[in-house]
Amino acid sequence: MTQAEGGEQAGRFKGVFSTVKATYIGEGATRRKVMNESYYYVEEMGEGMCSVQALSDKFVPTGPVEEVEREIIESRYVPEPSVYSQKMIPAVKELTKTLAKAERLRKQGNPFTAEFEYSNALKIDETNIRATFGLGLSLLDRGESEKADTVFKQLVQLEDTFHTDNANLFNEFGINLRKNKMFDQALEYYEQAYKISPLDEHLLFNMARTSFEMEDFTRAADYTDKALDIRGDFSEALELQALIDKKLAKLKK
Amino acid sequence: MAPKETANYFGGFLVSQGELSQEDLDKALKHKEEANRRIGAHAVERGLLAEEQVERIIAEQKNRDKPFGAIALDWGLLTQGQLDQLLFAQTVYSTHLGEVLMDLGILSPARFEALLTEYKRIRDQAEEHVAQSLDRQEDKQVFRAVIGSLENAFVRFADQGLKVLSLAEDMEPTLFRVRVDVRMEIGAAEALTCSHFLPQDFALALAGGFTGKEPERCRKECLLRVEEFFLIMERYLASALEEMGHEVRDSEVRVTKLEPMPDMAGKTCRMLHAVTNAGGFGLQIKKTRSGK
């Protein structure tokens, strides 16, 4: 195998490879084997391992990244340099450009045109996390809660939603769900993240604040206590706790 | 003062502002219709449903008045996760009129946002005006339900977001051609009658689905189309009244062709002038003791 099929960095290869996989369709007498050619973006990581990510039908790397031994790549995959240079690179450039345009439009306060561009980005890569967040935020900006709900459901399905790399988008989306009074969704959203980061006091505080706005003061108190268990001097949580105590005392009267 | 009568939907607004011609609008709407695929088409494309299953669901929809996804779930053809994916795809792949206009190079993004903002401002103003008109009515909740049902029926019947822009008490003398009574028995001893007095042009436009292809005269087919519209409105109204806690026991729609055409403005009964983007009509709402 050559060192670089599509590109080379510090002696490591990266590029597009293809492999043929057999799938079966139909049932009973009509069951038949179909050979499918799939493309993958492969990057050598070192120590005999490579990262492998499937290419979408628009030739953009999408979905989970798997680690595969270099030996397996060499024996079972076929290098596709022309797919890399003529299809994947232009598609990734197009996606990057579209996303940048969408983000610029949203910053300029043009949520409608930003929404179109985020949708265009998602047409290139349906699981693109930045585009999904962006589309959801644009819809929330203009109070389209029904459509935003479909995006919310997609976001909680995508693993990368709760990745720390997306912390800013994650927070902004949660805040906007709350501002749009989509409290149930906001709470579910934070709860999904909490499963991954149970020691994040900010998440617990956000859950407390959402519960408070839902007027579920008991639950709000529970989340605030948990946030304060993690960081006792968390000033916003202390303020919220005082407010919750007042509400609960009033209810008891 | 009543707000300026604007076109009933964004496309019409753009035409009325001289931003695009009716021909361009028709072209853009056709593009939009072709680009927007139904959820069933997304399901077939993703191999989740066979075309035959989609057709069966659509046929069932006509009987059950339930969304496509709900039937597919009931029949176990889709999981909730798959349905969520399809709804997301529909959100991503749906095309707005504005997007088509920008794609066709008819509007620049900046111009589009500016016009949309202006359109929304006028619409908000109209809504505010209707809210003020409703506040002056004795039974404003019922009025609100009637207005909401008319607007929902407009969307369902003509696939257009027509709005009631104002409800005025000072109605100009008008010659009505069609009267439609929607009568509902509510609760144990009350009846609600909403009488709609339609001038000829409004009745014709309604019969044509506000497409500009209205029939030439108020013939029998025209009256049947008007009745079809009010049967839809009746269902929305019954459901709105039930949400308000009223039990709707019975309801009927009666369409009468008025000949000779009486001038009923403010003479024999208190009537409001409901102004929509597609023209105005007389509206009278009465609550009486039940018993036909």
Side-chain angles (χ1 to χ4, degrees):
Chain A
M1 179 166 154
T2 55
Q3 265 296 292
E5 309 300 351
E8 189 180 354
Q9 201 172 31
R12 290 178 185 166
F13 72 82
K14 60 180 178 183
V16 172
F17 289 73
S18 67
T19 186
V20 176
K21 275 185 184 165
T23 51
Y24 291 88
I25 59 166
E27 280 173 22
T30 60
R31 186 174 159 85
R32 66 182 196 278
K33 192 172 160 183
V34 177
M35 303 306 284
N36 287 318
E37 189 177 43
S38 308
Y39 293 106
Y40 296 88
Y41 174 61
V42 178
E43 220 178 307
E44 192 181 5
M45 301 156 70
E47 293 174 12
M49 295 302 288
C50 296
S51 67
V52 177
Q53 196 177 16
L55 292 194
S56 71
D57 57 349
K58 303 274 174 28
F59 297 96
V60 171
T62 189
V65 179
E66 283 177 37
E67 287 185 20
V68 176
E69 286 170 25
R70 181 183 164 133
E71 258 178 40
I72 294 176
I73 300 288
E74 286 173 348
S75 58
R76 296 188 200 163
Y77 291 69
V78 178
E80 303 278 1
S82 62
V83 175
Y84 178 77
S85 60
Q86 287 168 30
K87 294 195 169 164
M88 190 190 118
I89 294 289
V92 170
K93 268 189 189 160
E94 179 64 28
L95 175 65
T96 313
K97 214 168 86 183
T98 309
L99 271 173
K101 190 175 172 189
E103 275 156 12
R104 196 173 60 241
L105 284 164
R106 191 169 167 256
K107 263 187 205 154
Q108 287 168 351
N110 295 332
F112 275 93
T113 33
E115 183 199 324
F116 302 156
E117 294 303 333
Y118 282 122
S119 292
N120 285 337
L122 285 164
K123 284 172 195 163
I124 301 171
D125 177 10
E126 230 172 75
T127 59
N128 186 283
I129 202 76
R130 266 169 69 196
T132 312
F133 267 122
L135 177 64
L137 286 166
S138 306
L139 291 167
L140 289 171
D141 285 347
R142 45 191 198 82
E144 283 260 17
S145 38
E146 205 174 307
K147 281 186 176 179
D149 189 51
T150 69
V151 179
F152 155 76
K153 283 178 179 150
Q154 169 77 352
L155 273 172
V156 288
Q157 296 292 323
L158 296 173
E159 252 176 56
D160 283 355
T161 300
F162 309 107
H163 228 260
T164 46
D165 293 354
N166 303 311
N168 286 342
L169 288 167
F170 175 87
N171 287 333
E172 199 183 346
F173 192 75
I175 289 164
N176 278 287
L177 282 174
R178 205 159 42 76
K179 278 187 184 165
N180 276 270
K181 303 204 180 300
M182 294 168 74
F183 297 129
D184 289 333
Q185 287 95 328
L187 212 53
E188 190 186 333
Y189 177 75
Y190 289 130
E191 272 166 1
Q192 290 286 346
Y194 179 64
K195 281 181 199 161
I196 296 164
S197 317
L199 294 176
D200 186 336
E201 72 273 25
H202 291 283
L203 268 180
L204 285 159
F205 173 71
N206 281 330
M207 285 150 84
R209 207 170 150 179
T210 308
S211 303
F212 184 84
E213 284 189 44
M214 291 166 88
E215 299 192 352
D216 186 345
F217 303 120
T218 315
R219 187 152 64 161
D222 186 38
Y223 287 133
T224 314
D225 289 347
K226 282 182 183 164
L228 288 167
D229 282 347
I230 295 167
R231 183 154 67 89
D233 62 346
F234 189 179
S235 59
E236 288 92 340
L238 285 166
E239 277 171 32
L240 185 61
Q241 192 183 43
L243 212 57
I244 294 166
D245 287 346
K246 267 189 201 167
K247 290 277 183 188
L248 286 171
K250 212 173 173 183
L251 283 174
K252 274 182 194 161
K253 274 181 190 171
Chain B
M1 200 179 81
K4 194 172 76 175
E5 196 168 321
T6 58
N8 50 344
Y9 54 106
F10 186 55
F13 168 76
L14 295 177
V15 173
S16 72
Q17 297 291 300
E19 292 288 334
L20 81 161
S21 66
Q22 186 63 46
E23 200 186 351
D24 278 341
L25 175 62
D26 292 343
K27 194 166 95 181
L29 288 173
K30 197 165 169 254
H31 269 267
K32 179 177 163 258
E33 207 176 296
E34 283 165 3
N36 280 339
R37 284 180 304 157
R38 301 261 172 187
I39 195 162
H42 286 287
V44 171
E45 191 192 74
R46 281 150 205 259
L48 295 174
L49 292 177
E51 271 179 34
E52 183 198 294
Q53 290 171 317
V54 171
E55 282 164 19
R56 270 177 47 219
I57 296 173
I58 293 170
E60 181 70 8
Q61 262 187 296
K62 285 174 189 157
N63 299 328
R64 285 169 63 185
D65 200 20
K66 255 184 142 182
F68 184 96
I71 297 173
L73 287 178
D74 283 354
W75 289 358
L77 296 173
L78 290 175
T79 63
Q80 187 61 55
Q82 288 169 329
L83 178 61
D84 290 343
Q85 280 286 320
L86 292 172
L87 290 170
F88 176 68
Q90 208 178 27
T91 301
V92 170
Y93 287 90
S94 66
T95 302
H96 304 258
L97 176 67
E99 195 173 0
V100 177
L101 292 171
M102 285 188 278
D103 281 349
L104 294 174
I106 295 172
L107 285 183
S108 70
R111 186 77 191 127
F112 165 71
E113 290 277 358
L115 286 163
L116 191 67
T117 307
E118 175 62 4
Y119 173 69
K120 284 175 78 181
R121 190 188 65 76
I122 294 172
R123 283 281 293 264
D124 289 349
Q125 203 181 34
E127 273 172 22
E128 175 68 19
H129 193 267
V130 172
Q132 283 170 7
S133 314
L134 286 171
D135 282 345
R136 288 195 293 271
Q137 306 307 319
E138 271 173 33
D139 204 343
K140 67 177 174 187
Q141 293 301 333
V142 171
F143 265 89
R144 201 175 285 278
V146 172
I147 299 299
S149 306
L150 282 166
E151 289 179 348
N152 286 334
F154 281 138
V155 176
R156 185 71 187 265
F157 181 72
D159 203 16
Q160 287 188 32
L162 300 199
K163 297 291 284 180
V164 174
L165 295 174
S166 67
L167 285 172
E169 286 170 9
D170 49 347
M171 190 170 188
E172 295 281 315
T174 308
L175 296 175
F176 300 109
R177 194 61 190 262
V178 179
R179 172 178 178 156
V180 186
D181 291 323
V182 179
R183 188 174 193 280
M184 293 193 172
E185 302 275 328
I186 49 172
E190 260 190 326
L192 175 76
T193 307
C194 305
S195 301
H196 309 79
F197 297 89
L198 315 183
Q200 168 121 331
D201 54 351
F202 189 84
L204 291 173
L206 180 61
F210 303 105
T211 55
K213 293 169 191 154
E214 58 262 27
E216 282 173 16
R217 286 195 294 154
C218 239
R219 289 187 177 149
K220 197 178 170 194
E221 308 89 85
C222 165
L223 294 181
L224 283 174
R225 288 279 290 161
V226 169
E227 184 177 9
E228 197 186 322
F229 168 80
F230 279 97
L231 284 169
I232 297 172
M233 180 266 183
E234 175 202 24
R235 288 213 297 274
Y236 279 115
L237 182 59
S239 127
L241 292 173
E242 275 170 357
E243 265 179 38
M244 285 160 61
H246 297 294
E247 186 200 357
V248 178
R249 290 187 292 116
D250 194 14
S251 66
E252 65 171 353
V253 173
R254 188 177 296 165
V255 181
T256 323
K257 191 169 171 184
L258 299 172
E259 252 176 307
M261 300 171 285
D263 164 9
M264 299 180 70
K267 288 184 180 169
T268 54
C269 51
R270 194 163 153 264
M271 188 187 295
L272 294 172
H273 185 207
V275 178
T276 77
N277 301 99
F281 60 89
L283 176 66
Q284 188 187 61
I285 298 178
K286 278 195 297 191
K287 260 188 183 174
T288 52
R289 293 184 77 81
S290 187
K292 289 180 187 176

